[in-house]
Amino acid sequence: MRTFLFIGIVVGLLCAAPAAAQRPVTTDADRKTALDLFDQHKVIEALPLLEKLAADRPDDIVVQERLGVCLAGLISGLKDPEERKQAALRARAVLLRAKALGDNSELLQTILSSIPEDGVLPGFSSKGEVEEVMTAAEADFAKGNLDRAREQYAKALQLDPTLYHAALFAGDACYKQNKHADAGAWFAKAIQIDPNRETAYRYWGDSLMASGQMTEARAKFIEAVIAQPYDRTARTGLTQWASRNRVQFRVVQLKQLATVKTEGNQSTITIDPTNLGKPGISIAAASIVYGGTRIGWQRDKFKQMYPDEPTYRHSLKEEAEALDAVAAWVKSQRASDKTSTEPAVDPELAELVGIRDAGLLEAYILLFRPTAGIVQDYAAYRATNREKLIRFMDEFVVPRLRQ
């Protein structure tokens, strides 16, 4: 779920820590107390101790990360823009310190990516009254007044029915109170406002997982990925779900079949030499089929299919046609072999055939073989084929739990 929010911390905490000679030396017991308070969501109590620990122990990765998380949580509860900016810059500096020490956790990456380098964060709404209500709600949330916070979020949503974060944070307040059914209802409202944002799906998955509904949580975490597959944060819920249930994702891979380059009337297909000389229906042979299809797109087919685009790009249609040709070739080679034994097929090619026969080739490409050009086709495909994207994750990637 999101970072804990709180206010009421003295302004001095946003400034540099005092000199070592002016502060008491912290102990291991202090460290344990601070981390326990953080884990218990008592961040207001944890923050002053974390500040002292971070100053005393500048190389303690865990302390630096926890302090950065706490400071990041302060931001939304501040009304003054300059105070917000300074809080954001301080939080970012502490998180970068933790990263420099070797912290590469999902928590750090997620929060750090949400803080701009200049520290200027957008508000919740351009409407003054709505922004005021949301800021008050954040303050109540930070103080632990969750019922009051939820009422304020609901009020903000009444004032602006399109305010995604109002519904999202109302659900988060319910989640913190272990009111998981109520949380789900709020998350559903957020999804209705914007089904192409991953956060509400992921929060809903967290809530379902906390209540022991693992199959239902799996479905929401998959939907989070489909909402924003190229956002690293979208996959964190699914990763945590897999770890919690001690399962591993099925890795869907297909080696780079060939590199294709066309300049004028000259085209080249470059095959990975490690794939050459292998018997049976191999990657090397499939690369010729793949490359030949793509040459046609690079020469003239892209212009025919996308007359409004001025320059060539690697598109979903091109990759799908090329891989479809490969899958069809593999099947034809199997059928034409007249020997008594089944011809050896590269396992990755066999899996490609299975994906193609399931009608999920485009979903596979968009989720596991995206290039800069292919990514441009995702939103349009998702608009009409969301269920295929979900099916691919369900059938080929995320193991189902035994009932």
Side-chain angles (χ1 to χ4, degrees), residues 257 269 283-295 321-330:
L257 289 169
I269 301 174
I283 292 286
S287 293
I288 301 299
V289 178
Y290 173 82
T293 304
R294 290 199 57 196
I295 285 174
E321 186 173 305
L323 291 184
D324 184 76
V326 169
W329 173 80
V330 171

Side-chain angles (χ1 to χ4, degrees), residues 153 157 163-172 183 186-187 189-190 193:
Y153 292 132
L157 190 62
L163 190 56
Y164 182 87
H165 283 96
L168 181 73
F169 291 170
D172 197 16
W186 282 108
F187 295 141
K189 289 182 180 180
I193 292 170

